[in-house]
Amino acid sequence: MKTILESIDLEIHKGEIFTFIGPSGSGKTSLLRLIDLLDMPTTGTIMFDGIDTAAPNAVRLSIRRRMAMVFQKPAVLNTTVANNVAFGLKFRDIEKSEIDSRVHEALDIVGLLHLANRKAVTLSGGEMQRVAIARALVTRPEVLLLDEPTANLDPVNTELIENLIRHIHQRFHTTIILSTHDMIQGQRLADRIGVIMNGRIAQIGSLHDIFYRPHGRDIARFVGIDTILKGVVASNDGGLANIAVSNVVLEAITPCKPGTHVALFIRPEEVTIALRDGDHPKTSVRNKLAGTITKMVPFGPFLRVTLDFGSPLTALVTRRSADELSLAVGTNVIAGIKATAIHVLADNG
Amino acid sequence: MSEIVSGFFQAVNLIVTLNPEVMQIAALSLFISLAATVIAATIAIPLGGLIHFHEFRGKRMLIVLIQTLYSVPTVVVGLVLYLLLSRSGPLGIFGLLFTPEGMIVGQTVLIIPILTGLVIASLGGIDRNISDTLISLGATSFQTIVQIVKEARLAILSAVVLGFGRAISEVGVAMMIGGNIRGATRVLTTAIALQTGIGDFPFSIALGLILLLIALVVVIIMNLITSGLSVETQQVLGGPRT
């Protein structure tokens, strides 16, 4: 037996959008399947609205019927779109006329009314995912679970599905629990985020917490912090500390006492780049690091510029400003980082 | 060569003039094999479902055994059933030996393994995501099973058609349990074997052509099912889904 998830201690509140973020294979799907009562945990307790779900099948069924799940790979049955959407209601023995009107409503919400009589297997991936959402929606679930709802979709369909999720949340106040490996999606949708790493919840918090104050290296890397530096606190004046990194000293905000070994996390978009011999406008930037560009990698409309000041540091620069400064590998530059933009954690490892 | 050619034309003549004996033999063949197929399907579909949807020790072994029985020689089934159904046998009191009913029993036994095996394979071919989806939509275990069987309906139907093909084309059981009694238990395959033996080639060729014709119809139906020509065809063959 392999342990897939452990030490999961988590409460999801009624009416919130909670997003699990983590790399592929970290256990997001397993966790959603447990919540939807598709699988039984080997240990531990899952409570739904105060009811212990480790109960006889009839009880589990009645709880499961208060939820609905949309899977990563939508599976449609070989019948019409409308019939696919109606399944959940048929299983609940709802009257035919009621089923028809609710299927109509759900298809209208997802914008597939015109395809009601099409064979569901002939739909595109995005349309199938919308059928899956309509099918979940039609049962009026209190909790809607979505497992990587846009993982296989193009940007246009992704936006469509995200808007749909927001719309459902606003209109029905459904509690929405979704998983994604896409940080940006988490950012767009979530009230709270739980980061899952290797089957454990590594951090729960607001988007801001996780983006700017990650609890560890793995999370930091996952949320796009490429620069992680090791240093030692040299002095600390009421929270504003001088930290020795390689052969330079950086100012940062931390309660850590002098002598503490720390890790510094710096988001690439917080680093500014200026030419070494240019004019430096007066700014509040405390830390100015002289270095040489070692690598430039395109990143959408940006360039990820890595420079070496004794340690590597990555900055996100727009292509336009890179052109204006004529940045290239070997250019000597000054990198600026605000003291408040450096996240400091005591380094135990 | 001329014998074959003239035999062929006489055979066509027997068919187009609806020769009573030829028609009677063909009708009995169809009746026996269709009845056997219906009974076998009635047993094999729930049985296959039972095996597919339950986990138990030796499940893999059982499936291997069933697959082995796909190719059980028809004469072996004939022999076993003969021993069971003969007057002195344990099932002798039913008096089924040398009756069409006995032949139906024989062909049913013969095709149950292939039907059961193919039903299990058909159900196994349904994506695991489908059953997860159904369960998460609030289906009871019974509702889940019914829906998955419906989803596999085309594959199951082709299994049934294949079973019918095996039933109507076999000789062993028909000969040994039916006894090839003229007007009573004589079917296409046993008649061909006998008439060829006594040199009545036109009659044999006529029956052979009918058998081929039936095989052709079976293949056409199979193709219609598997290619799923149109939604309407599927609904006709698979039953309308409401």
Side-chain angles (χ1 to χ4, degrees):
Chain A
M1 289 281 267
K2 190 175 165 288
T3 303
I4 296 173
L5 294 165
E6 65 186 322
S7 321
I8 303 287
D9 185 3
L10 167 72
E11 191 169 340
I12 293 169
H13 311 302
K14 194 182 170 90
E16 75 173 328
I17 301 186
F18 190 97
T19 299
F20 291 112
I21 291 187
S24 303
S26 57
K28 301 184 296 292
T29 301
S30 306
L31 191 50
L32 289 182
R33 289 179 60 92
L34 284 174
I35 297 172
D36 196 33
L37 310 189
L38 292 174
D39 298 324
M40 276 280 235
T42 43
T43 59
T45 317
I46 301 170
M47 305 285 281
F48 182 95
D49 196 14
I51 311 162
D52 187 348
T53 59
N57 276 334
V59 178
R60 285 172 71 81
L61 179 66
S62 71
I63 299 172
R64 195 184 297 119
R65 285 185 171 180
R66 296 169 64 184
M67 298 187 265
M69 179 152 167
V70 174
F71 296 84
Q72 178 175 354
K73 219 179 117 227
V76 293
L77 286 99
N78 188 10
T79 176
T80 63
V81 169
N83 281 342
N84 262 282
V85 176
F87 274 115
L89 299 176
K90 270 186 220 155
F91 293 150
R92 288 164 176 77
D93 293 323
I94 309 264
E95 270 183 50
K96 177 97 172 65
S97 58
E98 171 84 7
I99 291 181
D100 289 345
S101 74
R102 275 163 75 169
V103 167
H104 188 276
E105 183 197 45
L107 283 175
D108 191 25
I109 291 172
V110 301
L112 288 182
L113 216 42
H114 60 294
L115 297 179
N117 294 318
R118 267 270 288 276
K119 274 262 164 183
V121 287
T122 63
L123 299 180
S124 73
E127 289 165 341
M128 274 196 202
Q129 196 59 284
R130 282 193 274 162
V131 170
I133 291 175
R135 188 165 61 184
L137 204 61
V138 81
T139 61
R140 298 187 182 154
E142 295 164 51
V143 176
L144 178 60
L145 302 155
L146 301 125
D147 187 13
E148 304 239 8
T150 62
N152 305 318
L153 302 181
D154 58 77
V156 174
N157 274 300
T158 298
E159 194 187 339
L160 213 147
I161 299 283
E162 285 177 4
N163 289 337
L164 196 54
I165 293 169
R166 252 190 300 269
H167 173 76
I168 290 166
H169 184 247
Q170 277 163 13
R171 177 156 167 196
F172 301 103
H173 310 292
T174 316
T175 308
I176 294 179
I177 306 174
L178 66 99
S179 78
T180 178
H181 63 264
D182 176 5
M183 272 310 297
I184 310 301
Q185 180 163 78
Q187 180 176 7
R188 284 191 294 259
L189 288 177
D191 294 327
R192 284 198 304 150
I193 290 177
V195 181
I196 302 193
M197 295 266 166
N198 301 318
R200 290 167 178 272
I201 294 195
Q203 186 172 356
I204 297 177
S206 70
L207 183 89
H208 188 270
D209 285 345
I210 286 159
F211 251 55
Y212 295 102
R213 286 195 285 280
H215 283 183
R217 278 161 191 279
D218 291 346
I219 305 172
R221 288 229 171 74
F222 186 69
V223 302
I225 298 178
D226 340 57
T227 307
I228 303 174
L229 303 170
K230 287 190 174 215
V232 181
V233 180
S235 67
N236 194 331
D237 181 11
L240 182 61
N242 283 315
I243 300 169
V245 177
S246 302
N247 45 4
V248 299
V249 172
L250 292 176
E251 283 189 18
I253 312 289
T254 172
C256 288
K257 293 191 169 63
T260 316
H261 286 263
V262 291
L264 290 82
F265 301 89
I266 304 166
R267 295 201 66 84
E269 63 273 21
E270 302 283 355
V271 180
T272 56
I273 297 275
L275 289 178
R276 192 175 286 187
D277 45 2
D279 298 332
H280 301 303
K282 261 192 141 21
T283 64
S284 61
V285 175
R286 295 272 190 162
N287 301 300
K288 292 209 163 65
L289 301 169
T292 308
I293 294 176
T294 55
K295 201 164 76 174
M296 292 176 61
V297 181
F299 184 70
F302 300 99
L303 285 165
R304 294 162 72 99
V305 176
T306 305
L307 57 108
D308 190 341
F309 67 94
S311 295
L313 175 69
T314 303
L316 207 55
V317 179
T318 63
R319 279 171 188 272
R320 187 190 292 271
S321 53
D323 284 348
E324 280 169 10
L325 297 172
S326 32
L327 299 182
V329 171
T331 311
N332 289 325
V333 292
I334 303 269
I337 314 157
K338 288 187 179 184
T340 47
I342 302 177
H343 173 53
V344 182
L345 279 183
D347 191 11
N348 309 315
Chain B
M1 189 65 204
S2 64
E3 196 171 38
I4 298 175
V5 174
S6 70
F8 182 81
F9 283 112
Q10 287 178 56
V12 173
N13 189 42
L14 280 171
I15 295 171
V16 295
T17 57
L18 301 177
N19 174 284
E21 189 170 5
V22 170
M23 290 305 126
Q24 186 269 330
I25 291 171
L28 185 66
S29 263
L30 276 174
F31 168 71
I32 288 174
S33 296
L34 279 174
T37 306
V38 169
I39 296 168
T42 314
I43 296 168
I45 294 172
L47 183 65
L50 208 62
I51 295 170
H52 173 78
F53 289 111
H54 287 85
E55 291 305 325
F56 51 89
R57 271 171 66 97
K59 176 172 175 172
R60 199 61 245 162
M61 280 292 294
L62 180 63
I63 292 176
V64 168
L65 179 73
I66 290 170
Q67 287 171 345
T68 309
L69 292 178
Y70 285 10
S71 51
V72 65
T74 57
V75 285
V76 173
V77 176
L79 170 64
V80 172
L81 282 170
Y82 188 95
L83 294 174
L84 291 173
L85 297 178
S86 70
R87 288 251 171 257
S88 55
L91 303 175
I93 47 161
F94 297 112
L96 288 172
L97 197 61
F98 304 133
T99 63
E101 291 77 15
M103 295 164 78
I104 293 173
V105 171
Q107 292 190 350
T108 303
V109 170
L110 181 72
I111 65 172
I112 277 180
I114 194 163
L115 270 181
T116 309
L118 291 177
V119 166
I120 294 171
S122 309
L123 294 172
I126 297 299
D127 199 331
R128 172 127 193 114
N129 286 341
I130 294 270
S131 62
D132 280 343
T133 300
L134 294 169
I135 294 167
S136 89
L137 286 173
T140 61
S141 17
F142 181 71
Q143 287 170 330
T144 307
I145 291 172
V146 168
Q147 214 53 56
I148 288 177
V149 170
K150 274 193 184 173
E151 192 66 12
R153 67 198 184 280
L154 294 184
I156 290 174
L157 201 62
S158 11
V160 172
V161 174
L162 211 65
F164 171 75
R166 177 151 159 86
I168 199 153
S169 61
E170 69 84 31
V171 198
V173 170
M175 189 68 93
M176 293 165 80
I177 305 298
N180 196 23
I181 301 165
R182 187 173 194 180
T185 62
R186 181 165 295 175
V187 290
L188 289 165
T189 52
T190 57
I192 292 170
L194 179 77
Q195 302 300 327
T196 306
I198 63 175
D200 185 358
F201 297 121
F203 203 77
S204 285
I205 293 173
L207 297 181
L209 283 175
I210 291 174
L211 206 49
L212 276 175
L213 197 70
I214 293 170
L216 179 70
V217 170
V218 167
V219 169
I220 289 172
I221 292 174
M222 283 274 287
N223 271 300
L224 284 177
I225 294 169
T226 45
S227 69
L229 268 186
S230 69
V231 177
E232 291 72 29
T233 321
Q234 281 189 9
Q235 279 183 342
V236 169
L237 295 171
R241 311 264 317 272
T242 50

